[in-house]
């Protein structure tokens, strides 16, 4: 879903994430309609490891709630792999949205009795995780 966004003055690319050394490079439009394929990034065997993992978000051209949820899940995935994500270059308005999403994700998980960090690209949809929590 590439296209020209006059308000951005450039071509908008679909959301992408790539490993570059000990960093994750995030680019494109992190919006609901352009997130397809990012879940598969969790399956990458070459994720950066170490105590500090730079998540370079300077290439994110646009973000909505879906994109903020995906970025939050990405940061969680880095933590689960033993890293400490260091988010760099995220626009102020995107950082505000990410903060709201992370706060709400924490509340929803707590209210539902679910673990907060369930993983990037979780194979079980939310309704299945909630049902499992209720049945437990």
């Amino acid at each position: 879903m590439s296209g020209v966004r006059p308000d951005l003055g450039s071509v908008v690319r679909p959301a992408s994430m790539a490993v570059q050394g000990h960093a994750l490079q995030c680019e494109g439009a992190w919006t609901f309609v352009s997130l397809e394929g990012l879940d598969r990034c969790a399956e990458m065997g070459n994720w950066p490891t170490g105590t500090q993992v730079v998540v370079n978000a300077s290439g994110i051209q646009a973000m909505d709630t879906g994109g903020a949820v995906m970025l939050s899940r990405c940061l969680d995935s880095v933590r689960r792999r033993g890293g400490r994500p260091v988010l760099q270059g995220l626009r102020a308005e995107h950082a505000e949205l990410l903060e709201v999403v992370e706060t709400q994700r924490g509340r929803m998980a707590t209210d539902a009795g679910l673990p907060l960090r369930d993983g990037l690209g979780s194979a079980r949809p939310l309704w299945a995780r909630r049902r499992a929590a209720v049945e437990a």
Side-chain angles (χ1 to χ4, degrees), residues 16-28:
S16 68
M17 183 171 48
V19 175
Q20 293 181 343
H22 292 287
L24 290 174
Q25 179 67 38
C26 304
E27 297 183 341

Side-chain angles (χ1 to χ4, degrees), residues 41-123:
C41 290
E43 308 307 318
M44 295 186 307
N46 61 342
W47 271 61
T49 58
T51 58
Q52 181 173 303
V53 176
V54 173
V55 179
N56 184 349
S58 64
I60 295 178
Q61 298 171 297
M63 180 180 282
D64 64 10
T65 304
V69 168
M70 185 61 71
L71 184 56
S72 177
R73 293 171 65 191
C74 175
L75 298 174
D76 288 346
S77 187
V78 169
R79 289 180 193 105
R80 276 191 327 282
R81 293 167 190 259
R84 183 178 59 86
V86 177
L87 188 59
Q88 295 180 347
L90 189 63
R91 291 184 189 168
E93 64 270 22
H94 299 162
E96 289 176 22
L97 181 57
L98 179 63
E99 183 176 339
V100 169
V101 163
E102 289 195 326
T103 300
Q104 292 303 315
R105 281 185 71 212
R107 283 188 192 143
M108 289 184 332
T110 301
D111 292 347
L114 299 173
L116 176 59
R117 290 166 175 68
D118 62 338
L120 177 65
S122 175

